Amino acid sequence: MTNPIEVRNPRTGKFDYVIIPPPVRLLAQQCNRARRSQTRWYQIGIEARIEALQQWKQAILSQRQQLTEALVNDTGRLSISVLEIDSFLSTIDRWCNLAPELLQETAKNTSIPFIALQQASIPYSLVGVISPWNFPLLLSMIDAIPALLAGCAVVVKPSEIAPRFVAPLLLALNEVPHLRDVLIFIEGAGETGAALIDYVDLICFTGSVATGRKVAEAAAKRFIPAFLELGGKDPAIVLESADLDLATSAILWGAVVNTGQSCLSIERIYVAESIYEDFYHQLIAKAHRLELAYPNVESGQIGPIIAEKQAAIIREHIADAMHKGAIIHCGGKVEELGGGWWCRPTVLTQVNHAMKVMTEETFGPIMPVMSFSNVTEAVNLANDSIYGLSAAVFAGSEEEALTVARQIQAGAISINDAALTAIMYEGEKNAFKFSGLGGSRMGAAALKRFLRKQAFLIKANSAPDPWWFNS
């Protein structure tokens, strides 16, 4: 018998929800059921799979209020939860529109005149998804939706820190029998996620580098693919020619949206010496305008820190920076309000790479600002990291920004904006360094990575026989 897990409400600090992880035998039964159902799911064809997902979308719309309430209780924030639901629903539509063309089989001639080639794509039978707590709905579905359309069955293990959203999804899922049999949600902590890897044919994981390495090792032992989206320490470079009003507004948004609890948050800022003081003064002034979403969820823009352990990391990074000489201009502490943990937007100067706030993932609304004397120094500072998820460059011209951006070791670089991969999904990208492993979850590759290529090599009846001996 597995022990129940109590779930904490990030706004109140109270443990007001309980999940019960499945015993290993039940987990195996659920995975086997999904695997058996996958054959029929694949055979009904792409149009029927699209119809099933669209039926689920309509059922979710009828559960929208309950889903919103669940996400608010999961994360403590309202406006981002509404955006998360909208993004999830648009993700269904986007993939339903793209999938038919991406799944078309092709036939073509080859370099040998009497041998034709037909290509087919065979889905992995069972895909496992282990998702994080910061965007619990969207990041549980970002891999699941294209995998389902590709013809896979999917088992999702959401974070035990933010699992409440699953209940309204399941109510909607029960209205779609075809989909209900191939989309399974299991609840539990790390042990459940580790056990899941033993029963799937491919695993998608979003989370920390430390856990991602364990997932990769477990997948390697089973000889199955692992697609890992891990941590980030995203840099922003602000060149002398940049529009300061644009740069400060974009970087502030990129650093504090979802209270900085995003792998693509801007976490370190490098600014040309000539504009350094003007930049951070503008940034501070704008940061001061943002308010906590407290005491009411509608009160301001900055939500609570979702995971209690993250509050300790943010506090540690701030203390380490102060001890090593950093100056805090606003924010600068983790507050307990109403039982929840909160951190106001925090701007630091006099920072360097000896500080944790410049080298380790903070995952909070923290903006350390450092000056550079030339572009080479800026690029070297941006690349001085074990991470390489994304970045941003601000300059007076697109050409100047791109010249710098092409030197940055990261998968996606926003030009004259920040964190654009949060809203734009078309661009294929791979994580660099320890920020991830495997195919892109953006662009057409996001669906194609769930397919194995099969080639049929067809010799024409008119071909010489045995032709290879006579060459």
Side-chain angles (χ1 to χ4, degrees):
M1 185 71 179
T2 55
N3 295 322
I5 298 173
E6 293 185 316
V7 182
R8 176 181 170 275
N9 186 310
R11 293 190 68 85
T12 66
K14 295 179 180 178
F15 291 85
D16 57 7
Y17 194 80
V18 175
I19 60 174
I20 301 176
V24 173
R25 190 165 78 172
L26 178 57
L27 171 61
Q29 290 174 350
Q30 290 175 312
C31 289
N32 289 335
R33 176 168 69 88
R35 186 184 294 280
R36 289 193 300 269
S37 301
Q38 183 271 334
T39 301
R40 183 170 186 276
W41 174 249
Y42 173 54
Q43 289 176 346
I44 64 175
I46 182 58
E47 294 303 329
R49 296 198 292 272
I50 289 172
E51 183 180 355
L53 280 164
Q54 287 296 325
Q55 288 174 358
W56 189 39
K57 176 189 168 185
Q58 293 306 311
I60 290 167
L61 287 172
S62 68
Q63 294 284 335
R64 183 174 183 126
Q65 183 59 38
Q66 294 91 324
L67 183 56
T68 302
E69 291 172 1
L71 279 176
V72 169
N73 288 328
D74 274 333
T75 63
R77 35 71 164 171
L78 176 59
S79 60
I80 298 295
S81 295
V82 172
L83 287 173
E84 190 173 353
I85 293 171
D86 289 339
S87 294
F88 164 51
L89 296 175
S90 67
T91 292
I92 294 176
D93 286 340
R94 180 167 53 85
W95 280 118
C96 285
N97 289 331
L98 292 171
E101 181 178 351
L102 295 175
L103 294 174
Q104 283 182 350
E105 296 188 1
T106 60
K108 62 180 181 180
N109 296 324
T110 69
S111 57
I112 300 176
F114 47 82
I115 296 180
L117 170 65
Q118 288 188 14
Q119 294 269 200
S121 299
I122 308 301
Y124 288 89
S125 293
L126 187 59
V127 169
V129 174
I130 302 173
S131 58
W133 48 261
N134 55 327
F135 290 95
L137 169 64
L138 187 60
L139 293 181
S140 68
M141 291 289 105
I142 195 170
D143 297 310
I145 297 301
L148 287 164
L149 286 166
C152 311
V154 179
V155 179
V156 179
K157 202 295 285 183
S159 170
E160 72 279 12
I161 294 172
R164 297 170 181 85
F165 76 97
V166 171
L169 282 190
L170 287 176
L171 286 174
L173 193 59
N174 285 334
E175 298 183 27
V176 191
H178 280 327
L179 189 58
R180 180 183 59 204
D181 294 334
V182 291
L183 176 57
I184 309 294
F185 290 87
I186 59 169
E187 296 179 321
E191 298 82 1
T192 303
L196 175 63
I197 298 171
D198 288 334
Y199 297 100
V200 298
D201 305 309
L202 180 154
I203 190 73
C204 297
F205 172 81
T206 306
S208 70
V209 171
T211 305
R213 295 184 75 152
K214 294 177 182 178
V215 171
E217 290 167 3
K221 288 178 181 177
R222 291 208 54 238
F223 219 65
I224 63 172
F227 298 124
L228 312 177
E229 183 90 358
L230 308 179
K233 191 70 182 175
D234 289 5
I237 294 177
V238 185
L239 301 174
E240 186 176 27
S241 60
D243 180 327
L244 283 190
D245 184 48
L246 169 67
T248 49
S249 293
I251 288 171
L252 178 63
W253 180 86
V256 308
V257 67
N258 199 33
T259 316
Q261 298 167 120
S262 171
C263 55
L264 49 75
S265 292
I266 296 296
E267 291 213 2
R268 49 200 175 104
I269 306 162
Y270 305 103
V271 184
E273 283 178 345
S274 59
I275 59 170
Y276 172 68
E277 288 199 16
D278 287 343
F279 176 90
Y280 79 74
H281 283 304
Q282 283 195 37
L283 186 64
I284 293 164
K286 292 178 180 181
H288 271 301
R289 299 174 196 161
L290 301 179
E291 300 290 340
L292 300 181
Y294 182 86
N296 301 313
V297 73
E298 302 92 350
S299 297
Q301 303 85 8
I302 308 297
I305 300 166
I306 297 170
E308 193 168 18
K309 64 181 180 181
Q310 204 64 43
I313 293 172
I314 295 169
R315 190 183 293 113
E316 177 192 358
H317 284 196
I318 292 172
D320 175 73
M322 292 178 65
H323 175 72
K324 293 174 180 174
I327 298 173
I328 293 177
H329 297 272
C330 57
K333 62 180 180 179
V334 176
E335 309 171 56
E336 184 179 2
L337 300 171
W341 295 108
W342 304 78
C343 183
R344 299 175 189 273
T346 299
V347 177
L348 303 90
T349 58
Q350 301 301 310
V351 293
N352 58 62
H353 281 216
M355 299 174 183
K356 293 180 179 180
V357 77
M358 295 298 286
T359 56
E360 298 181 12
E361 189 172 37
T362 307
F363 230 58
I366 313 299
M367 295 164 280
V369 186
M370 185 175 177
S371 66
F372 64 83
S373 57
N374 56 62
V375 170
T376 299
E377 182 185 10
V379 170
N380 288 340
L381 288 167
N383 289 337
D384 182 24
S385 175
I386 66 168
Y387 299 103
L389 192 61
S390 45
V393 178
F394 295 82
S397 71
E398 178 183 313
E399 181 181 0
E400 184 183 11
L402 282 170
T403 299
V404 174
R406 289 190 174 97
Q407 302 174 63
I408 296 176
Q409 297 162 1
I413 296 94
S414 299
I415 302 298
N416 285 326
D417 211 328
L420 287 178
T421 51
I423 58 174
M424 205 284 285
Y425 301 106
E426 285 85 354
E428 293 187 9
K429 68 181 184 68
N430 296 111
F432 286 37
K433 304 179 185 178
F434 283 93
S435 281
L437 185 69
S440 172
R441 63 163 31 156
M442 306 291 182
L447 185 147
K448 291 182 177 180
R449 63 198 166 130
F450 298 112
L451 303 166
R452 290 160 292 183
K453 283 292 185 183
Q454 194 170 37
F456 300 100
L457 309 172
I458 306 164
K459 189 183 77 169
N461 291 333
S462 59
D465 189 21
W467 62 274
W468 53 88
F469 285 135
N470 301 322
S471 58

